[in-house]
């Protein structure tokens, strides 16, 4: 299957912050989470994909069309939910829907109404009068029903209550099941990442640490408690040690090493995703 989007060698400088080079491929049927410390460039990547910011170097392709070129047909294939929106305060949710829906030929009115009901969004109340969490719910309800193949979500569950988060995760999962679609999202919520993401693209201070398949990443980091102190030499995949405990990101090679060197392992445990991300960002 052809990629829905690709980012190749993209760089962007904003004041003293330097992003990139960024390389990222978005495949159909996948959810990619952009992970990183605050100010690492996650939101900037989404803005570059929407051409709300212009890359200094590199290229971005949406449906084989260059973002920022004369051909703007790529805009028909992508939707974006920013963290904050500008210019909505004076309008009700119903009015905003009436503005937005006609712009998208595949707008799903039933999905919009379903989301408004399930998330208790008051559509006749002005945006400025809504709480931050309800504003976020309305923002998502005005984005998901656009039914474009690519969906960009910037912290989609921020400020949202726990019951509503579950509803949103279920809605996004159902949405993904309805065709050749992809989501690129930023999130600091590890539970959301665990439930939704297929791939994690990890950024540290504007640099790409790497893109990892989530389940493979979870299986590849193991903590071992040894019977005796470890030898001075590094164990294969070793990324941390403390007395008789070691963490390896290559468990197969580490366990072979233990066997060959008569090192007895008393217990093992896979690392939580939070711990793995902390290691990647350390």
């Amino acid at each position: 299957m052809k990629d829905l989007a690709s980012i190749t060698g993209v760089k962007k400088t904003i004041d003293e912050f330097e992003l990139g080079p960024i390389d990222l491929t978005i495949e159909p049927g996948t959810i990619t989470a952009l992970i990183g410390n605050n100010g690492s460039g996650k939101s900037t990547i989404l803005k570059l994909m929407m051409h709300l910011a212009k890359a200094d170097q590199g290229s971005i392709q949406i449906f084989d069309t260059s973002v920022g070129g004369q051909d703007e047909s790529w805009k028909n294939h992508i939707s974006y939910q920013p963290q904050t929106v500008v210019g909505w305060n004076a309008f009700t949710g119903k009015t905003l829907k009436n503005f937005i829906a006609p712009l998208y030929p595949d707008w799903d009115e039933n999905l919009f109404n379903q989301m408004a009901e399930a998330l208790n969004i008051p559509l006749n109340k002005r945006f400025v009068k809504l709480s931050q969490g309800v504003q976020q719910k309305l923002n998502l309800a005005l984005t998901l029903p656009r039914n474009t193949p690519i969906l960009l979500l910037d912290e989609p569950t921020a400020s949202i209550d726990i019951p509503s988060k579950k509803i949103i995760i279920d809605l996004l999962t159902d949405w993904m099941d309805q065709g050749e679609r992809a989501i690129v999202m930023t999130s600091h919520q590890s539970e959301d990442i665990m439930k939704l993401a297929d791939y994690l693209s990890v950024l540290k201070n504007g640099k790409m640490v790497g893109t990892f398949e989530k389940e493979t990443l979870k299986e590849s980091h193991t903590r071992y408690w040894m019977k005796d102190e470890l030898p001075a030499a590094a164990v294969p995949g070793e990324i941390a040690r403390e007395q008789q405990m070691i963490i390896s990101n290559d468990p197969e090679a580490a366990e072979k090493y233990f066997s060959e060197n008569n090192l007895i392992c008393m217990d093992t445990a896979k690392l939580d995703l939070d711990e793995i991300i902390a290691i990647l960002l350390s």
Side-chain angles (χ1 to χ4, degrees):
M1 288 183 286
K2 295 180 65 175
D3 298 331
L4 299 185
S6 62
I7 301 174
T8 306
V10 164
K11 294 184 178 181
K12 177 68 177 178
T13 299
I14 304 172
D15 298 326
E16 297 180 354
F17 174 71
E18 295 182 3
L19 174 68
I22 302 297
D23 294 283
L24 184 63
T25 298
I26 307 303
E27 302 171 355
T30 63
I31 298 178
T32 300
L34 303 180
I35 309 297
N37 50 355
N38 291 331
S40 60
K42 304 182 297 295
S43 297
T44 301
I45 290 174
L46 300 189
K47 291 176 183 177
L48 289 167
M49 292 182 72
M50 289 300 299
H51 200 53
L52 298 174
K54 185 177 180 181
D56 300 328
Q57 188 174 321
S59 65
I60 300 174
Q61 298 271 325
I62 307 290
F63 271 65
D64 292 327
T65 304
S66 294
V67 170
Q70 290 187 338
D71 182 355
E72 295 190 336
S73 60
W74 62 270
K75 293 182 177 180
N76 298 322
H77 304 295
I78 192 166
S79 299
Y80 171 52
Q81 179 202 351
Q83 283 192 49
T84 57
V85 291
V86 178
W88 284 14
N89 282 349
F91 303 104
T92 66
K94 184 176 181 180
T95 302
L96 289 168
K97 187 267 294 185
N98 291 337
F99 287 157
I100 292 169
L103 302 176
Y104 294 89
D106 293 323
W107 175 267
D108 188 338
E109 185 72 11
N110 288 333
L111 177 57
F112 174 79
N113 290 328
Q114 176 192 348
M115 293 182 70
E117 181 176 354
L119 297 170
N120 296 312
I121 303 170
L123 297 178
N124 292 317
K125 202 170 183 179
R126 287 194 299 142
F127 190 80
V128 71
K129 297 294 184 179
L130 303 176
S131 70
Q132 189 174 4
V134 177
Q135 287 181 352
Q136 188 79 338
K137 294 177 188 180
L138 177 57
N139 194 356
L140 185 61
L142 290 167
T143 305
L144 194 61
R146 299 175 192 184
N147 274 332
T148 57
I150 303 172
L151 184 62
L152 308 183
L153 304 176
D154 200 351
E155 295 286 348
T157 60
S159 304
I160 290 179
D161 57 89
I162 292 174
S164 296
K165 283 185 182 181
K166 184 183 183 306
I167 293 170
I168 288 169
I169 288 170
D170 290 343
L171 286 164
L172 291 173
T173 301
D174 291 343
W175 184 85
M176 282 293 297
D177 288 339
Q178 297 177 39
E180 296 298 312
R181 298 173 170 183
I183 296 174
V184 183
M185 59 181 284
T186 72
S187 180
H188 288 100
Q189 310 291 323
S190 60
E191 284 190 26
D192 302 342
I193 297 166
M194 284 286 289
K195 292 174 182 176
L196 286 171
D198 301 297
Y199 294 96
L200 308 182
S201 289
V202 182
L203 292 129
K204 181 180 179 182
N205 301 326
K207 307 301 179 186
M208 182 73 85
V209 175
T211 296
F212 308 91
E213 198 276 327
K214 182 186 68 180
E215 295 303 323
T216 301
L217 188 66
K218 286 165 59 181
E219 290 300 315
S220 67
H221 286 67
T222 305
R223 180 181 280 110
Y224 298 92
W225 288 270
M226 312 304 295
K227 181 179 179 181
D228 303 307
E229 286 193 17
L230 292 164
V235 170
E238 179 179 328
I239 53 178
R241 69 160 66 190
E242 183 178 341
Q243 297 179 343
Q244 291 158 255
M245 185 279 293
I246 188 167
I247 297 173
S248 171
N249 62 11
D250 190 348
E252 184 176 350
E255 289 162 22
K256 181 180 179 183
Y257 177 89
F258 297 153
S259 177
E260 291 174 347
N261 290 273
N262 298 314
L263 295 168
I264 300 173
C265 179
M266 304 297 290
D267 199 5
T268 68
K270 296 296 183 184
L271 271 65
D272 294 333
L273 191 60
D274 278 345
E275 294 179 288
I276 297 171
I277 292 171
I279 289 170
L280 292 172
L281 293 175
S282 62

